[in-house]
Amino acid sequence: MADTTHLNGLESCFQRGNLTLKVPMSLFQNNRKRLVARINSNTKVPTTGTFIILEGGIEVPFNDTDICWPFRQESFFQWCFAVEEPGCYGALDLATGTSILFMPRLPPEYAIWEGKLHSLDDFKKRYAVDETYYTDEIAKVLKSKQANLLLTLNGQNSDSGLQAKEATFDGINQFKVDNKILYPEICECRVIKSPQEIEVLEYVIKVSSDAHKSIMQMVKPGFAEFQAEAAFMHYVYSIGGCRHVSYTCICGSGHNASILHYGHAGAPNNKVINNGDMCLFDMGGNYCGYAADITCSFPVNGKFTEDQKMIYNAVLAARDAVMDAAKPNVLWTDMHLLANKTMLISLKSGGLLVGDVDEMMKAGLHEVFQPHGLGHLMGLDVHDVGGYLPGHPERSSAPGLRKLRTSRVLLAGMVLTIEPGCYFIDCLLDAALKNPNQSKFIVAEELKRFRGWGGVRIEDDVLITETGVRNLTDVPRTVEEIEEWMAAGKE
């Protein structure tokens, strides 16, 4: 564990309170070493005089006011330096591995409004870097170290379509800059988690699992969706030290459970949950920048109807099939198709579908009931980087597969979500019923009673091991486990 000696009120580890996980700065030292080693071994860049330069996040004002949004560090910078303050820069010397942190030079008034003005030496100890300077000294410091080539971050996130934040500073035009090399290499480093990173992910996933379990025993008819969101956020923060959640909480019930990213500003988890509704709660805490992403689906009254049980078990069978088959050297696209085929087989057994399941797949029927991918890489971002990079399979245009956030071959050390789902989305069902290639498989009369019913998603966070999968999520999953757990809460 990290040295937790107090340094003028600062500590050389990340922790919230006395009962949460201590994250040692050695985790981020190790990340930096991994990155430097990868760049040196995978590229033809000269090591002497070459520096990696990263720019941290900045505070973002709330519109035109004098307050700011709660600050979250830029993810690549967090991965390398774990610095909590905004407005920082970091540099790594490829020749020596020396780590340099540049902190903003704060005015004396900071001490009045924001607290103690810490010294550069304080920050050097706190973040376990080799050297610290002020941000207005970047060019001067790099010049003194005979820097010649700077590797900056420039690449497109394959999930958002947005560009990574490329470092720029006064005087950068005095150096040669390459903004092509760094992005794929640092992304590849982030894809494979170190043992220390896995420990943090285990922690935040456990806290988030416990929060979900608490809410499953709390909800009842008449409970509002936003109350579930509030209870989750309170639990992961008050118990687990998670000041942030990793994404906007999705607390859909009834029809809202069929809206994949429900909970947004236009539909802010504001429905009252009715007796008989299925709940689909997709929520994950965030600790030291690392994300959890868990979905639990269950009946609000704690007792599945036969229809609810049939759909739930269809999704659970899909999840179980992937859990049994996923391992290193397996294609993620094959896992997605396995999950979809398994679910269609169950829907056919339940009387919703008829015909040959392989023909259903060819007709794209699986995308009607599950219009999203099987899951995604996870780490410092809930949809983590590395899904589509040079040298790996490109995005497919086939039904179902075109929505996947990665098509990679699985490798030990990856952390992903496995999240099959089955939804009754009117616009997709209407289109399928009008499509003769798909409608021939659908028992329209049986389908009617599921209109407005919502949906089911089961989402687990898993680690790919040398031999298979380790599920890091710990929540009731079978129908029997859910009913027993919810009944115990009511007692």
Side-chain angles (χ1 to χ4, degrees), residues 49 58 76 82 98 161 171 178 203 297-298 326 378 409 419 424 473 476:
I58 59 173
F76 289 101
T98 298
D178 183 293
Y203 173 79
S297 299
F298 53 90
M378 193 183 77
V409 175
E419 50 177 305
F424 298 93
T473 310

Side-chain angles (χ1 to χ4, degrees), residues 413-434:
M414 286 180 170
V415 173
L416 303 98
T417 64
I418 295 175
E419 50 177 305
C422 181
Y423 315 89
F424 298 93
I425 302 170
D426 284 335
C427 61
L428 295 182
L429 296 174
D430 291 341
L433 290 170
K434 292 175 182 176

Side-chain angles (χ1 to χ4, degrees), residues 169-300:
F169 56 87
D170 288 341
I172 195 172
N173 57 356
Q174 301 174 46
F175 308 91
K176 295 178 183 177
V177 175
D178 183 293
N179 66 1
K180 301 286 190 258
I181 291 171
L182 179 58
Y183 186 79
E185 302 300 338
I186 194 171
C187 286
E188 287 291 353
C189 285
R190 285 178 57 182
V191 166
I192 304 301
K193 273 57 179 180
S194 70
Q196 289 173 303
E197 288 185 288
I198 292 167
E199 183 181 5
V200 183
L201 286 163
E202 287 174 328
Y203 173 79
V204 71
I205 293 166
K206 176 64 164 61
V207 168
S208 299
S209 295
D210 290 345
H212 273 279
K213 290 166 69 175
S214 173
I215 289 161
M216 288 173 72
Q217 293 189 334
M218 185 185 303
V219 297
K220 58 185 178 182
F223 205 75
E225 295 167 339
F226 78 85
Q227 290 178 290
E229 177 181 21
F232 181 87
M233 295 173 74
H234 175 71
Y235 189 103
V236 296
Y237 196 6
S238 64
I239 303 296
C242 301
R243 188 177 196 185
H244 303 289
V245 289
S246 293
Y247 51 94
T248 302
C249 294
I250 300 168
C251 296
S253 63
H255 170 71
N256 294 338
S258 68
I259 302 169
L260 301 183
H261 283 173
Y262 180 72
H264 57 83
N269 295 319
N270 59 354
K271 174 182 171 293
V272 173
I273 308 172
N274 298 314
N275 191 33
D277 279 351
M278 279 292 290
C279 297
L280 188 159
F281 291 172
D282 183 341
M283 302 178 284
N286 189 287
Y287 189 79
C288 196
Y290 285 86
D293 183 4
I294 299 168
T295 306
C296 294
S297 299
F298 53 90
V300 66

Side-chain angles (χ1 to χ4, degrees), residues 85 103 118-128 132:
E85 290 81 4
M103 304 296 296
H118 293 288
S119 70
L120 290 176
D121 192 54
D122 288 339
F123 289 118
K124 177 182 173 181
K125 293 175 181 176
R126 179 183 185 185
Y127 294 120
T132 46

